[in-house]
Amino acid sequence: MLRSLTPSVLGILVRRGADFAAAEDAVQDALVEAVRVWPTDRPRDAKGWLVTVAWRRFLDAARADVARRRREDLVDEDPGPGPASSVDDTLQLYFLCAHPSLTPSSAVALTLRAVGGLTTRQIAQAYLVPEATMAQRISRAKRTVSGVRFDKPGDVSTVLRVLYLVFNEGYSGDVDLAAEAIRLTRQLAASIHHPEVAGLLALMLLHHARRAARTAADGGLVPLAEQDRGLWDTESIAEGVEILQAALARDRLGEFQAQAAVAALHADAPTAEETDWVQIVEWYDELVRLTDSPVVRLNRVVAVGEADGPRAGLAALDALDDSLPRRAAVAAYLHERDGDVVLAARLYAEAAEKAPNLAERAHLTRQAARLNARLNVRRQGPRG
């Protein structure tokens, strides 16, 4: 429960005049105090208690800092104990963190850490950078906004990128944030008429519709082609497709709409074999044009391999950087389809060592073991 209250409490402090870095420190102090006090003296109004304690911690820190002595004028505004507003401040806080004084990448990283609750390691993996690099980026962002009044919210595109990264982290299974990201994106879509907001909401719904089929009973990952499509949420798929069609009709294509179109083509196929891979390649061509993202290019390689055969996919893969995350896994899949089981088994094992999470590592390890078992049977030959 403490974690769910954090964004709202942080938003209240920022609106009352606390700079972001100081507000975050004050909220963290309040959370520590709650862990100490609540087991024996739980307040009736948890949010009000956290707001009161965090605000007082902020004022204490402000008084101790000569450079911020002007904040002592706010002492008379110290709120007494009592019920706090039930308004959800989370989405507003996302916009406040996307401050014009920050670059988009720094704003996203800061918001994911402070509001989304992701660890520095998880954010670094999302950005494909070392953890130390991301830690420095977040620290610089905090220093940049320290002392800045948050009266100029950032733009929609930065907030959308944050929401998408939060959703992806939740969807991976490490942290269950996917439903929260969908909830906030619905709020945003209801408040502004923007094709990319609609595109992101459609994309989230289409991906989330497959969630029940993504893991086996033992917790292992189930590849898209092997998923039980009877477990897919058809209502979410229908809603996602309807939202996407309305967004595409406005003829202002963006990357989230294009990604949602790919997801819709997967959702529309009754079986994996009936997937329209040619159209999917065309949508990935649009995505490459829009983003020039190495991850998009890698996903396009898979689609090319399905549409035109594994050798065409491998030819496209040759153009990509060897250090690209999940490149070895894609190479393993294409080489297996091309009949080179020995190389595929080695590449699956290599990909498992570099996997960003335990579920993916276990899946890739099983793939390598499956091929190695096939090779052992082949080497032993027929018995009897």
Side-chain angles (χ1 to χ4, degrees):
M1 183 184 75
L2 283 173
R3 179 174 179 173
S4 66
L5 291 173
T6 299
S8 184
V9 175
L10 185 55
I12 290 171
L13 265 64
V14 169
R15 291 203 310 277
R16 286 178 177 169
D19 68 71
F20 187 87
E24 185 185 13
D25 290 341
V27 172
Q28 292 301 319
D29 286 345
L31 293 176
V32 171
E33 184 68 6
V35 171
R36 186 183 70 82
V37 172
W38 286 12
T40 57
D41 186 18
R42 189 178 183 83
R44 284 180 295 180
D45 177 18
K47 181 178 175 181
W49 188 96
L50 285 171
V51 169
T52 299
V53 173
W55 183 250
R56 287 174 176 166
R57 292 297 173 92
F58 162 71
L59 290 176
D60 288 343
R63 294 188 194 101
D65 189 342
V66 175
R68 299 176 186 175
R69 193 164 297 280
R70 69 181 187 280
R71 297 205 185 270
E72 290 184 351
D73 295 336
L74 300 173
V75 171
D76 292 338
E77 298 178 22
D78 185 359
S85 170
S86 61
V87 175
D88 185 352
D89 302 291
T90 307
L91 189 57
Q92 182 185 24
L93 194 56
Y94 271 65
F95 273 95
L96 291 175
C97 288
H99 197 272
S101 64
L102 295 172
T103 64
S105 61
S106 294
V108 171
L110 178 62
T111 314
L112 289 173
R113 183 71 186 92
V115 188
L118 275 64
T119 66
T120 303
R121 176 184 61 81
Q122 290 167 330
I123 301 169
Q125 289 173 350
Y127 270 91
L128 310 180
V129 299
E131 184 175 348
T133 300
M134 183 51 64
Q136 292 175 353
R137 185 179 300 178
I138 293 172
S139 295
R140 285 197 300 269
K142 287 183 177 180
R143 288 196 299 270
T144 299
V145 300
S146 180
V148 171
R149 287 286 298 201
F150 280 74
D151 54 358
K152 295 180 180 179
D155 63 5
V156 173
S157 62
T158 300
V159 174
L160 291 179
R161 191 155 304 282
V162 174
L163 288 168
Y164 186 45
L165 289 173
V166 170
F167 174 81
N168 279 338
E169 195 58 48
Y171 193 62
S172 74
D174 290 338
V175 181
D176 190 8
L177 294 169
E180 172 69 359
I182 291 174
R183 183 184 71 83
L184 293 173
T185 307
R186 282 191 187 279
Q187 284 187 11
L188 187 56
S191 63
I192 60 174
H193 197 47
H194 191 295
E196 274 294 82
V197 175
L200 178 58
L201 179 57
L203 176 62
M204 289 179 174
L205 290 170
L206 290 164
H207 277 317
H208 207 59
R210 302 199 300 260
R211 188 167 189 175
R214 291 185 72 247
T215 54
D218 62 359
L221 289 179
V222 180
L224 176 60
E226 300 172 19
Q227 288 177 14
D228 179 356
R229 299 186 178 218
L231 296 176
W232 290 1
D233 182 348
T234 55
E235 289 187 6
S236 291
I237 290 173
E239 183 186 4
V241 169
E242 182 180 357
I243 292 171
L244 172 63
Q245 289 174 340
L248 291 175
R250 300 179 64 185
D251 199 23
R252 289 172 53 195
L253 183 64
E255 69 171 288
F256 292 122
Q257 295 169 72
Q259 288 189 58
V262 172
L265 286 167
H266 282 299
D268 188 53
T271 65
E273 293 73 23
E274 296 174 85
T275 303
D276 190 343
W277 286 106
V278 173
Q279 270 204 71
I280 289 176
V281 171
E282 292 173 356
W283 278 112
Y284 274 125
D285 289 340
E286 290 288 347
L287 274 167
V288 168
R289 180 182 63 81
L290 289 166
T291 69
D292 197 29
S293 161
V295 175
V296 169
R297 290 183 180 277
L298 186 62
N299 290 337
R300 180 185 178 279
V301 164
V302 176
V304 169
E306 297 290 350
D308 301 327
R311 294 194 178 181
L314 287 168
L317 185 64
D318 284 341
L320 301 186
D321 193 328
D322 289 343
S323 64
L324 187 63
R326 296 187 173 92
R327 186 186 191 281
V330 171
Y333 173 73
L334 292 172
H335 278 295
E336 180 183 359
R337 287 196 58 216
D338 195 41
D340 193 340
V341 178
V342 174
L343 179 55
R346 179 175 65 78
L347 287 169
Y348 274 129
E350 177 185 320
E353 293 178 358
K354 301 176 181 178
N357 56 66
L358 292 176
E360 191 169 332
R361 181 177 302 171
H363 169 71
L364 292 168
T365 300
R366 283 194 297 270
Q367 295 294 87
R370 174 179 58 81
L371 294 187
N372 284 323
R374 186 194 304 178
L375 289 169
N376 288 335
V377 170
R378 185 185 300 174
R379 293 188 189 106
Q380 292 171 3
R383 296 183 179 180

